[in-house]
Amino acid sequence: MRWSPILAALPLLAAACKGSAPADDAIALSPRAAQGKALFSTLCASCHAPSAKLVGPPLSELAGLYATDPEGIVRWAVNPGRKRTDVPPMPSFRGVRESDLADVAQYIIEAGTAAGKQRP
Ligand code: HEC
C-alpha cells in the first residue's frame, strides 16, 4: 500500500516526541515558568533536554550560564550566537513574542537548576 512508509514511521515519530518531553513533572515551578513550559515543549524541547545533551546543551548547563540573566536567554533565542562548533547553529526565534520567550527563559532556569541538582 502506498502510505505504508509513512505509517511505518509513525511509531518512530511518537517515540521521538516522547523522548523529548521535559522530565520535570515533580518540580514545583513558579507561575511564570509553568507558563513558559508549554511553549518550551513546542519550540525548544526537540533540541534541549533537562540534563542530557540532545542537539543543543542541556537545561542544567543553560541554567548555569544564565541563572542571573534570564534576559540573556531571550536575546540568544532572538539572535543566536555561535559557540559550540560540534553542533549545527541554533535557529532564531525572532518571530516569537519576547514576553513569551521570557516565560520560556524562566522555565529553563528553574527546570535546569533542578536538573543540575539531581546530578551529583
Ligand atoms: C533545532 C535545535 C534547537 C532548537 C529548536 C532550540 N535550540 Fe537552543 N541551541 C541549539 C544549539 C545547537 C545550541 C548551541 C549553539 C552553539 O553553541 O553554537 C543551542 C544553544 C542554546 C543556548 C545557549 C546559549 C549560550 O550562551 O551558550 C540557549 C540559551 C538556548 N539554546 C535556548 C533555546 C531556547 C529558549 C529555545 C526555544 C525557544 C531553543 N534554544 C531551541 C539548538 C536548538
Side-chain angles (χ1 to χ4, degrees):
M1 152 170 116
R2 283 183 75 173
W3 294 104
S4 55
I6 294 171
L7 290 178
L10 278 180
L12 273 179
L13 265 177
C17 294
K18 222 172 161 184
S20 65
D24 61 357
D25 291 339
I27 302 170
L29 296 170
S30 70
R32 193 104 193 269
Q35 187 93 356
K37 179 179 177 178
L39 197 58
F40 174 87
S41 302
T42 311
L43 299 180
C44 324
S46 53
C47 296
H48 295 284
S51 50
K53 181 182 174 224
L54 299 181
V55 180
L59 301 192
S60 51
E61 184 179 330
L62 303 187
L65 288 169
Y66 289 99
T68 59
D69 180 25
E71 271 301 310
I73 295 181
V74 175
R75 280 196 301 276
W76 174 281
V78 170
N79 188 18
R82 195 77 181 106
K83 284 192 185 172
R84 299 159 188 83
T85 49
D86 59 329
V87 287
M90 181 176 133
S92 164
F93 290 86
R94 197 163 277 134
V96 181
R97 262 192 306 189
E98 293 205 6
S99 59
D100 287 341
L101 288 174
D103 293 345
V104 171
Q106 188 60 33
Y107 171 75
I108 287 177
I109 289 169
E110 291 181 26
T113 302
K117 280 185 190 140
Q118 275 160 22
R119 296 174 111 197

